[in-house]
């Protein structure tokens, strides 16, 4: 056997040993976070599914009741109303947040100096506490609050933003959009930075105006990022709770009583954890369907 053959075999053996060693090293570093993820993500999901087939309540006996909770859910008018309220809220919140995030991302992309300062200022509401933001905006929305004071200076009567059923969801959506648009703005800003400037320069030379460049170049190239932003904001809309809990408590007359708030009431007000787990499973399935839609659209974009 020649020295060259021996050398090649040693290299092959070392290569396979390295390939086996690298995944183990990576797994060791990932193990603490993977353990936390399994304990606080996967196990609660499976536990909730199992709990949804029981009538478990605190301090009492419980039995396995099969699919009774699911039958109750589909005939429960409170659940149906809260689902409809959540859908209405999402229909207001998602377009508003995406449009604001896209507009601010494009403005930020056009800034030539102080971009980091503006980016930090626009992202600041996202890292603000939901409770703090809700308390501030509730004061602003009050009859004698800042917004109604400004409307009074303009000669318009006070508006009950959180007291009128027709205004409460748009008012809450404004708060959540102000609080959460910064994250989507950064994602869209990164997408805008990935668009080659040569495309825009060529379109400008051909005589395309700003709207034509946006519609024919920016939007098509930004579409995969836009789909991702729409999906994550839709998920955020279905999970809204903090803002409603602080500002309205589900009122007035349950006009802001969303699905997560119904889950909270069933679990921590009525202590009906079996039925609350059923609502949680329904919410999980809704979010799962949205995630599958996201994957379908992204796969379609990658194949195009």
């Amino acid at each position: 056997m020649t020295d060259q053959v021996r050398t090649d075999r040693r290299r092959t053996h070392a290569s396979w040993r390295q390939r086996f060693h690298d995944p183990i090293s990576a797994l060791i570093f990932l193990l603490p976070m993977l353990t936390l993820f399994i304990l606080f993500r996967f196990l609660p999901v499976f536990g909730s599914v199992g709990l949804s087939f029981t009538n478990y309540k605190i301090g009492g006996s419980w039995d396995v009741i099969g699919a009774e909770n699911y039958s109750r859910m589909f005939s429960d008018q409170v659940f149906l109303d809260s689902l409809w309220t959540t859908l209405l809220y999402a229909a207001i919140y998602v377009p508003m947040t995406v449009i604001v995030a896209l507009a601010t991302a494009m403005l930020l992309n056009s800034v030539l100096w102080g971009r980091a300062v503006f980016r930090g200022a626009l992202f600041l509401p996202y890292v603000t506490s939901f409770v703090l933001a809700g308390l501030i905006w509730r004061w602003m929305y009050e009859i004698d609050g800042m917004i109604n004071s400004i409307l009074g200076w303009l000669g318009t009567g006070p508006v009950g933003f959180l007291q009128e059923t027709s205004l409460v969801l748009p008012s809450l959506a404004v708060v959540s959009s102000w609080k959460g648009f910064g994250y989507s703005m950064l994602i869209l800003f990164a997408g805008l930075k990935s668009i080659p400037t040569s495309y825009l320069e060529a379109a400008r030379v051909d005589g395309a105006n700003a709207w034509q460049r946006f519609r024919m170049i920016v939007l098509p190239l930004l579409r995969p990022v836009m789909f991702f932003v729409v999906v994550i904001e839709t998920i955020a809309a279905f999970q809204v709770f903090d803002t409603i809990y602080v500002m309205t408590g589900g009122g007035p007359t349950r006009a802001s009583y969303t699905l997560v708030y119904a889950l909270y009431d069933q679990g921590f007000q009525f202590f009906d954890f079996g039925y609350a787990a059923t609502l949680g499973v329904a919410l999980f399935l809704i979010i799962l369907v949205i995630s599958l839609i996201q994957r379908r659209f992204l796969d379609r974009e990658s194949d195009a």
Side-chain angles (χ1 to χ4, degrees):
M1 184 179 295
T2 63
D3 294 338
Q4 183 63 35
V5 174
R6 293 193 183 94
T7 303
D8 292 340
R9 287 188 174 180
R10 292 195 197 100
R11 289 177 179 175
T12 303
H13 181 69
S15 176
W16 278 104
R17 184 170 55 187
Q18 184 178 5
R19 291 180 184 178
F20 180 74
H21 182 264
D22 288 345
I24 293 179
S25 300
L27 183 61
I28 291 174
F29 282 105
L30 289 174
L31 193 58
M33 185 56 65
L34 186 61
T35 303
L36 293 175
F37 190 82
I38 292 174
L39 288 176
F40 295 102
R41 291 288 185 178
F42 278 104
L43 290 183
V45 170
F46 290 115
S48 297
V49 173
L51 199 63
S52 68
F53 293 100
T54 69
N55 58 356
Y56 177 76
K57 294 185 179 181
I58 288 182
S61 59
W62 57 274
D63 300 303
V64 177
I65 59 175
E68 289 185 17
N69 283 328
Y70 292 93
S71 300
R72 172 188 170 187
M73 181 181 67
F74 288 112
S75 61
D76 185 2
Q77 191 61 41
V78 174
F79 164 75
L80 298 176
D81 291 342
S82 64
L83 180 58
W84 176 247
T85 301
T86 306
L87 292 172
L88 286 178
Y89 174 83
I92 300 170
Y93 167 80
V94 174
M96 181 189 304
T97 305
V98 173
I99 291 173
V100 171
L102 180 59
T104 52
M106 294 190 66
L107 288 174
L108 190 62
N109 192 43
S110 64
V111 173
L112 300 179
W113 58 271
R115 183 177 293 173
V117 176
F118 289 110
R119 186 168 57 219
L122 292 171
F123 189 72
L124 185 61
Y126 182 77
V127 298
T128 305
S129 167
F130 263 113
V131 176
L132 178 61
L135 291 174
I136 293 173
W137 276 90
R138 187 176 67 179
W139 168 76
M140 293 172 61
Y141 278 143
E142 287 179 353
I143 298 298
D144 56 349
M146 186 182 72
I147 297 178
N148 275 315
S149 298
I150 295 174
L151 293 177
W153 295 339
L154 298 175
T156 305
V159 178
F161 293 100
L162 301 180
Q163 291 76 32
E164 298 184 17
T165 57
S166 60
L167 294 178
V168 63
L169 286 181
S171 301
L172 292 171
V174 168
V175 179
S176 297
S177 182
W178 171 84
K179 172 73 173 63
F181 84 95
Y183 181 72
S184 296
M185 177 200 67
L186 289 184
I187 295 176
L188 291 169
F189 177 72
L192 289 172
K193 297 301 291 182
S194 66
I195 297 176
T197 56
S198 59
Y199 294 175
L200 298 174
E201 291 296 332
R204 186 180 291 110
V205 170
D206 289 339
N209 56 34
W211 169 248
Q212 290 172 334
R213 293 196 300 270
F214 173 75
R215 184 170 60 91
M216 304 301 296
I217 297 177
V218 175
L219 271 185
L221 294 178
L222 203 62
R223 193 173 300 166
V225 182
M226 286 287 292
F227 276 127
F228 176 75
V229 168
V230 168
V231 169
I232 63 172
E233 293 298 349
T234 304
I235 292 173
F238 273 91
Q239 292 179 333
V240 63
F241 174 77
D242 309 67
T243 306
I244 295 175
Y245 181 81
V246 172
M247 297 185 67
T248 65
T253 62
R254 289 189 172 177
S256 60
Y257 196 76
T258 58
L259 188 56
V260 176
Y261 209 99
L263 189 156
Y264 165 79
D265 269 354
Q266 292 296 328
F268 298 99
Q269 296 294 327
F270 308 131
F271 301 108
D272 191 352
F273 288 99
Y275 187 55
T278 306
L279 299 181
V281 172
L283 180 63
F284 171 77
L285 292 176
I286 292 171
I287 295 176
L288 178 62
V289 169
I290 294 173
S291 300
L292 292 176
I293 293 173
Q294 172 201 15
R295 180 178 180 180
R296 177 182 178 184
F297 277 116
L298 290 178
D299 288 344
R300 181 182 297 177
E301 287 298 322
S302 62
D303 293 339

